[in-house]
Amino acid sequence: GTRLFSSLPSASVRLPSEVGRDLQGAQRSTGAMAAGGVIVYEDIFEILDQDADGKRFDRVSRFRCRSAFESDLQIDINVDIYKLEIGTKFTLVLAPTLSLDGTPEDPAYDQSGKESLADSYEYVMYGKVFKKQDENEGGIRRSAVTISFGGLLMQLKADPKNLQDVDIDNRLYVLIRKIS
């Protein structure tokens, strides 16, 4: 499939190439090895709302999403290059590297064309975790992680054990692939 990269320099995501298709209501495997690489978070989300607080930028929309595992996601997407709509389901992965064998990123851009985790996804951003806090909502403990992808923001609220491998100052890829 076609792979689209956000023109902005930051983001983090990671999803295994096959697990996303097999997740349909089954369990997710966070912190698992996928395609030889390390994935720190993965889940399937459904879009519930778009630009609920009004549209602030021409090419960017903020989507509010929820997973079957009761994780909540707000994410800014460049809708000029990646179209999403309410009701769409997608797999989202957070990963520290695109390397299939888990080797850390080289600071230089890799033009070799070798296979990477990004080959299995349609939208990829690279960013930095700048906020992580634990919350207690009605007796339910959750961690909230906020990541900036060069100004596009993502906030993920999930069970703390599913975000235990994500910390402030981590640089992560976010990878997205539509399911329906």
Side-chain angles (χ1 to χ4, degrees), residues 8-165:
L8 298 171
S10 284
S12 96
V13 171
R14 136 184 113 56
L15 235 168
S17 56
E18 299 301 322
V19 175
R21 283 181 227 124
D22 298 335
L23 263 172
Q24 321 287 11
Q27 64 207 51
R28 73 176 161 236
S29 65
T30 55
M33 295 294 282
V38 179
I39 290 175
V40 295
Y41 179 85
E42 67 181 84
D43 207 342
I44 293 175
F45 288 90
E46 180 175 358
I47 297 173
L48 303 177
D49 207 350
Q50 179 176 354
D51 297 319
D53 298 328
K55 191 144 172 76
R56 291 182 173 37
F57 301 100
D58 290 341
R59 298 181 198 141
V60 176
S61 281
R62 178 161 291 170
F63 294 92
R64 189 173 57 86
C65 314
R66 180 137 204 166
S67 81
F69 299 100
E70 298 187 4
S71 295
D72 291 307
L73 173 72
Q74 283 192 57
I75 187 167
D76 295 341
I77 299 286
N78 181 334
V79 292
D80 251 12
I81 60 173
Y82 195 63
K83 306 282 187 226
L84 290 171
E85 49 193 49
I86 294 171
T88 299
K89 289 185 180 174
F90 62 90
T91 302
L92 178 138
V93 170
L94 295 176
T97 179
L98 293 177
S99 174
L100 293 176
D101 64 6
T103 45
E105 296 291 312
D106 186 318
Y109 177 67
D110 179 6
Q111 300 181 53
S112 68
K114 71 178 181 181
E115 282 189 60
S116 79
L117 191 58
D119 294 334
S120 299
Y121 295 89
E122 301 164 334
Y123 187 79
V124 177
M125 297 188 292
Y126 182 69
K128 183 176 180 179
V129 178
F130 70 90
K131 190 176 185 183
K132 182 176 183 180
Q133 58 193 47
D134 289 324
E135 302 176 345
N136 193 333
E137 297 176 358
I140 299 170
R141 284 195 37 212
R142 295 171 31 119
S143 285
V145 173
T146 308
I147 305 172
S148 176
F149 304 97
L152 297 183
L153 300 178
M154 180 182 101
Q155 183 181 61
L156 176 62
K157 291 182 181 181
D159 187 304
K161 72 177 185 257
N162 295 331
L163 293 172
Q164 65 188 4
D165 295 329

